[in-house]
Amino acid sequence: MRHTDFRERMAEEFGRLRAEMLAEDHVMSELGGRTVDEALEAGFSPKQVWLALCNTFEVPASRR
């Protein structure tokens, strides 16, 4: 998954504004206590981060 695809999926699932807020502010234990942006900067793949978001926010399998 490319970064642009990841950002688009986030916007589709959470809405553009909420997706931006989640990426900047929501710390997830599954990402080692990092936010989305921090995890991506630390080298996590967009797919890893997407799956962590899906698990955290219980996104149905059909939209993962």
Side-chain angles (χ1 to χ4, degrees):
M1 174 186 295
R2 296 182 323 195
H3 286 268
T4 53
D5 295 332
F6 169 76
R7 294 292 180 175
E8 208 159 293
R9 283 187 187 201
M10 278 191 70
E12 288 173 7
E13 184 63 37
F14 302 107
R16 192 150 312 272
L17 182 59
R18 184 168 183 224
E20 289 175 16
M21 290 171 54
L22 286 174
E24 292 175 13
D25 301 327
H26 190 82
V27 175
M28 291 183 279
S29 60
E30 198 169 334
L31 298 175
R34 294 175 179 90
T35 66
V36 166
D37 289 342
E38 291 169 340
L40 292 170
E41 287 179 28
F44 284 71
S45 74
K47 184 175 182 176
Q48 286 176 294
V49 177
W50 175 248
L51 291 176
L53 275 168
C54 290
N55 291 335
T56 300
F57 291 97
E58 300 177 351
V59 174
S62 63
R63 294 197 309 259
R64 290 181 182 213

